[in-house]
Amino acid sequence: MKESWSAFDTFEHHFRPLVVIELAKDAKEETKEWLTQRIVDKKKNGGAQLLVKPLVKEDGGKIDGNQNVYLVGASHIRLLLGAETVGLVKECNDNSMRTFTYSSRNTFKDFAEDNHDFLTMAERQYIIKHELENLRAKDERMIPGYPQAKLYPGKSIMRRLMTSGILLQIFPLHDTEELKKLRDTWYGQVKISYQPLDQIRCYFGETIALYFGFLEYFTFALVPMAFIGIPYYVFAWEDYDKYVMFASFNLLWSTVILEVWKRCCAIMTYRWGTLLMKRQFEEPRPGFHGVLGINPVTGREEPVYSSIKRQIRIYLVSLPFVCLCLYFSLYVMMIYFELETWALDFHEENESYFSKLMLFLPSIIYAIVIEMMNRIYRYAAEFLTSWENHRLESSHQNHLILKVLVFNFLNCFASLFYIAFVLFDMKLLRQSLATLLITSQILNQFVEALLPYWLQKRHNKKAKKRVYSIKVDTDLSLFEQVNLEKEMGTYLGTFDDYLELFLQFGYVSLFSCVYPLAAVFAVLNNITEMYSDALKICRVFKRPFSQPTANIGVWQLAFETMSIISVVTNCALIGLSPQVNALFPDSKTDLILIVVLAEHILLALKFVMAFVIPDKPRDIQIKLARLEFESLEALKQQQMKLAAESLKEETHGEKKMN
Amino acid sequence: MKESWSAFDTFEHHFRPLVVIELAKDAKEETKEWLTQRIVDKKKNGGAQLLVKPLVKEDGGKIDGNQNVYLVGASHIRLLLGAETVGLVKECNDNSMRTFTYSSRNTFKDFAEDNHDFLTMAERQYIIKHELENLRAKDERMIPGYPQAKLYPGKSIMRRLMTSGILLQIFPLHDTEELKKLRDTWYGQVKISYQPLDQIRCYFGETIALYFGFLEYFTFALVPMAFIGIPYYVFAWEDYDKYVMFASFNLLWSTVILEVWKRCCAIMTYRWGTLLMKRQFEEPRPGFHGVLGINPVTGREEPVYSSIKRQIRIYLVSLPFVCLCLYFSLYVMMIYFELETWALDFHEENESYFSKLMLFLPSIIYAIVIEMMNRIYRYAAEFLTSWENHRLESSHQNHLILKVLVFNFLNCFASLFYIAFVLFDMKLLRQSLATLLITSQILNQFVEALLPYWLQKRHNKKAKKRVYSIKVDTDLSLFEQVNLEKEMGTYLGTFDDYLELFLQFGYVSLFSCVYPLAAVFAVLNNITEMYSDALKICRVFKRPFSQPTANIGVWQLAFETMSIISVVTNCALIGLSPQVNALFPDSKTDLILIVVLAEHILLALKFVMAFVIPDKPRDIQIKLARLEFESLEALKQQQMKLAAESLKEETHGEKKMN
């Protein structure tokens, strides 16, 4: 091990910048020196042993003002050792997937000492990010130059720099050439093709590739629903039995697609190696704080935080707060409906141009209030989740998602539920559903991708003019590239994209028997969504860091819960429909009982199906079992060796005694 | 490795019999010789390398007639190597649990070369059973002496001997001294104490200890329900709100106890080592047949059977058959109810002594028919599950249990459901429930334990008289002991015991709001059940083979499903109760809607609780994670060594080229 770590002591001639660090303009020299020293310092001294270079103009001249942008890279061997640290899984020569180790590097496919592309650029950047984030304070009590920025042993330095406002951002650089290639295959041609998921994964990492994989899968899965939904619209079918059939098909279909997605996901992530990555040995997330202690699993030193304290925070603070917010949101909705009736009454009483305007007022106010609540709640949720102090990034994300999800669900669907089950107005429901679905889709695409793209383009042009080159999009110097990219917006993760899909799934399935056409709109939206999302991630935002992941996490649960709720709502809607009511003129009781029975049977069917369909295809199961078997055998081997050694020592001892 | 296997070539002087093999009286000499040869043959020759001795009288004289009973034992070192083969997990000196390997034996707690009690007797017998069952045919085409008993490479010899009727039984011997000690602490004293689970586990193995653990846990869990149920009976409470409260408490309580049981179970089985035993690398079960191939997981040679064929058999044959049987059972129930009304009519029309007798006829006929159906169905289920040809014993058991369970559930509860939800007769329901519960409990205990015990005692006395010694219970010679034990009945596993508990849980929870006293009877029954089951397993039956297991398997699922069904039934019963109906004199619709709403909320609460309560306590989770981490690190180490070796070879090659 020692040999390897010292093998790259000499500064590499061929420095390839991978990650950019931007410090505050007024950061002190002292701090900068200390930071760069810590970054290049040897591992054994507690450094990250990376390469770091200030950003300078190509002609070598210093730029004006303070130097505050640094480029970080690493030698080839350092990256390989880092790949071992983060536990990357790569394909071996015998086509099996294995955890990469530096010493077994020759057994891996496509490995060669001079093949610098063995690790994808996304992986290299992920390794550097990981190393930077895990650069921890030793005996420093504070950040040099900033006495108020306290440090304690084990505290992540980058995190403290960030919270103190000294570090503005860390982001990975684009590879203009690769990006161009990717864009060409992805959305360059106007032809229908599958998403280039493997390429996306190589460039942006697994989380984003998995999102596009899910988006594509989900769109394909919606196509049958859309096809079956069209004739309902075209022929204006209103028959009871046809609606029941459509709803039943929808409900079972949604179970099947969610179960099958797990299998598809397992196939993909096995190929990408993330299915095998062990998440429980993750390093604590950078924001995690606690007293320095020993991790009971790995035996390594790291911050430790009592799980009971976290539980108390979750259940005694976060949970009541979320409930309160939900209650408040419902309260606001009730006010909106009251305002609505009041406006209607007002309009009827004194009809005028002003009263007509007044009719729109409640909706506008409600929309604004909802948007405001959403934003405030999002901040609160982020603050609370940070405060809960989860050890793992994944667990932090899950808790955040759960909080935001519940609130968004209520905000989006509460009014529809109210219309359907309190006002019993199916016409209004269909109308509201269509309006909400279509406007939200159009608005989303505009706000999310097209508008930022246009702004970005304008901004780029201006920026380029300032940086004295008008060559658009081609052959930018590194200096220009960094300066352009650092001004781009930050992609905040797949959260909002998944949320959009989740709400769309809600519109499609919750009231599917009232509005079968929803699936058609969803499919159309998703096709353009693929393009606009691709555009967004390639052109609008800074390149995001890759994040290895094995599944879509809590979203799977969210979609499954939605599909369970939709069974209940659809059954209830069918029970409420006048056609069905006409079938039971005498007794509403029989009707309700039959509907409830049908609902229970459907729910039972869903659970049986979820239980019967295995989550992983058989061949993946076998491969995983084989790996586990091998690792067990290896453990046995090691124990044997230890035992043999201890035996030897014992006999030695005995001999001496004799 | 080689050294170890050859270290026990010499026949041990101190032969300790562990397992008894009884062959048919007319088994051919040739066969016996071949079998004993195969059993004692070395591992490398495909034998089991065990010790075998014919059973002879203590005075050395041959017994009359053919010699057909053999005692099997093994040397200490052979047992240790066998423990490694079966993957036993034992406690180490540092209190962690690890898979036992012969070479690391000195790191294990209580290990000493001369400590023959390092492995419990149950473990030793399990190892021998495992080795015997995995004694497989090499190039034999048939069993010598029996041309019709075909063999093919890889076929389990013992299994073929069994199916050909040459081998009558294999069973482990009791350890009279240990058994006496166990009995004393278990049910010797008339005082209330916890079950001696660790002792039971040492003597009978994990499956049986886990059953008694569950029985005890379940009884304790029922106590609160029983306590709350008593005042309902004493004060004859019939209020709506009290019943609702009792039912709600019951439903949430049953969820909690089932979730907490998983945690208790994890704690116990971690201590016993079975939580860590890897089940997926199990050898195929003895009855498993297929073409000899390569196991894709382990890379070892073993029979292989297409999983698709098995799926086809399960879904296209077994499933329809089970459904047909269920339909038939329902049909029989309907006939019973028709007969019942017919008998009642007959009695009313011409009242006489004969007609009074006739009143009982339908019930008697129905009981007999149900019993017959149960037995026939059981045979069919066993045949079908064998025919499905599951690779693992556990999977075989699960499929068998599922089949029998569904049928038994219907047979037991269908009539109650009919009374409750078709006849709407709550009085009759309470009556039937009480009758069924109490009679089934009394009958069960009698038929299951007391009757066999009495028969056994009589039989033993006779047998002992025949074997010319009248000393009861003490100092039996080995010869006598074997001859007594081989005549005892065979314990067929915990299946029927769990089934009884499952049905009891059904009686308690399905209609809990109609008959709160059920829990009281269940508690009383379970206390005596513990004693009668202990008596049964210690005195009535042959000692069963130990079977390592980490949980109660499919029964957990069965109990959870029951608790979900009971939410539905209880809500429906409350909705049907006249008190509740009186609250909604105008609209039955409102009532039903409220009941359905309450049911949905309760179900949602159950799922949330099941999701929130972790299945394993935190410290067990950490210990498991640490073990996984270590095994991964070991794998890395091994890869490193391999890589280093391959590097060395390469440099050697290069040097030669130079």
Side-chain angles (χ1 to χ4, degrees), chain A residues 243-310:
Chain A
Y243 269 91
V244 169
M245 263 172 50
F246 183 70
S248 310
F249 169 77
N250 246 13
L251 299 173
L252 297 180
W253 180 243
S254 68
T255 312
V256 171
I257 60 173
L258 289 175
E259 286 301 310
V260 173
W261 162 251
K262 282 191 220 158
R263 296 165 68 93
C264 293
C265 182
I267 294 172
M268 267 196 284
T269 52
Y270 177 80
R271 196 173 63 224
W272 296 342
T274 46
L275 188 61
L276 296 171
M277 272 180 93
K278 301 278 162 179
R279 293 214 72 90
Q280 54 265 59
F281 312 134
E282 261 180 313
E283 292 276 300
R285 59 185 286 268
F288 178 66
H289 56 84
V291 207
L292 208 66
I294 303 289
N295 180 323
V297 174
T298 60
R300 293 175 190 154
E301 215 177 19
E302 66 168 45
V304 174
Y305 185 77
S306 150
S307 140
I308 294 162
K309 271 194 206 165
R310 186 179 307 128

Side-chain angles (χ1 to χ4, degrees), chain A residues 60-75:
Chain A
K62 269 249 169 190
I63 56 160
D64 326 325
N66 220 332
Q67 173 55 40
N68 65 334
V69 179
Y70 291 87
L71 301 173
V72 183
S75 64

Side-chain angles (χ1 to χ4, degrees), chain A residues 115-381:
Chain A
N115 176 13
H116 288 221
D117 289 333
F118 173 67
L119 299 172
T120 67
M121 193 170 170
E123 280 166 347
R124 278 176 273 160
Q125 289 167 334
Y126 171 69
I127 291 164
I128 287 184
K129 175 189 167 226
H130 179 265
E131 294 293 342
L132 285 177
E133 277 181 347
N134 281 284
L135 191 60
R136 288 173 189 280
K138 292 180 297 183
D139 43 8
E140 296 99 333
R141 313 291 307 165
M142 49 157 215
I143 286 173
Y146 294 88
Q148 79 283 9
K150 294 263 182 293
L151 285 176
Y152 51 87
K155 173 72 189 174
S156 163
I157 289 173
M158 287 294 164
R159 180 74 183 185
R160 175 56 80 228
L161 286 169
M162 191 80 87
T163 50
S164 315
I166 307 164
L167 175 67
L168 295 183
Q169 57 178 346
I170 311 180
F171 65 90
L173 268 179
H174 267 301
D175 179 338
T176 35
E177 219 167 292
E178 280 295 317
L179 182 61
K180 213 173 172 72
K181 264 194 240 166
L182 176 63
R183 267 172 12 206
D184 282 347
T185 50
W186 200 356
Y187 61 89
Q189 308 117 312
V190 188
K191 66 163 193 185
I192 290 163
S193 64
Y194 291 107
Q195 302 271 298
L197 294 180
D198 286 327
Q199 265 174 284
I200 300 173
R201 178 242 164 187
C202 283
Y203 196 84
F204 288 110
E206 288 80 14
T207 305
I208 288 170
L210 214 50
Y211 164 69
F212 281 100
F214 183 70
L215 177 58
E216 185 181 25
Y217 173 84
F218 187 61
T219 310
F220 275 114
L222 283 177
V223 167
M225 287 199 208
F227 258 105
I228 299 179
I230 289 174
Y232 283 82
Y233 178 74
V234 175
F235 304 118
W237 284 346
E238 293 276 348
D239 309 329
Y240 152 71
D241 49 347
K242 291 209 181 77
Y243 269 91
V244 169
M245 263 172 50
F246 183 70
S248 310
F249 169 77
N250 246 13
L251 299 173
L252 297 180
W253 180 243
S254 68
T255 312
V256 171
I257 60 173
L258 289 175
E259 286 301 310
V260 173
W261 162 251
K262 282 191 220 158
R263 296 165 68 93
C264 293
C265 182
I267 294 172
M268 267 196 284
T269 52
Y270 177 80
R271 196 173 63 224
W272 296 342
T274 46
L275 188 61
L276 296 171
M277 272 180 93
K278 301 278 162 179
R279 293 214 72 90
Q280 54 265 59
F281 312 134
E282 261 180 313
E283 292 276 300
R285 59 185 286 268
F288 178 66
H289 56 84
V291 207
L292 208 66
I294 303 289
N295 180 323
V297 174
T298 60
R300 293 175 190 154
E301 215 177 19
E302 66 168 45
V304 174
Y305 185 77
S306 150
S307 140
I308 294 162
K309 271 194 206 165
R310 186 179 307 128
Q311 299 284 332
I312 289 175
R313 288 182 173 190
I314 291 174
Y315 290 110
L316 295 190
V317 180
S318 296
L319 188 65
F321 175 78
V322 171
C323 292
L324 209 76
C325 287
L326 294 181
Y327 176 76
F328 185 71
S329 158
L330 280 180
Y331 194 76
V332 168
M333 189 196 73
M334 293 314 297
I335 293 176
Y336 157 66
F337 276 109
E338 264 171 42
L339 272 181
E340 188 98 294
T341 38
W342 175 81
L344 215 66
D345 289 349
F346 183 81
H347 176 64
E348 268 169 23
E349 275 170 32
N350 29 4
E351 215 172 322
S352 70
Y353 184 74
F354 173 72
S355 76
K356 242 183 188 168
L357 262 180
M358 282 288 282
L359 271 181
F360 290 97
L361 201 64
S363 301
I364 293 168
I365 293 176
Y366 185 53
I368 293 171
V369 170
I370 275 195
E371 189 56 32
M372 273 166 55
M373 288 200 306
N374 257 339
R375 273 167 200 267
I376 296 170
Y377 179 81
R378 185 74 166 265
Y379 277 112

Side-chain angles (χ1 to χ4, degrees), chain A residues 103 278 589 592 599-600 640 643, chain B residues 103 589 592 599-600 640 643:
Chain A
S103 19
K278 301 278 162 179
T589 321
I592 296 175
E599 185 222 340
H600 280 73
M640 262 187 209
Chain B
S103 19
T589 322
I592 296 175
E599 185 223 340
H600 280 72
M640 262 187 208

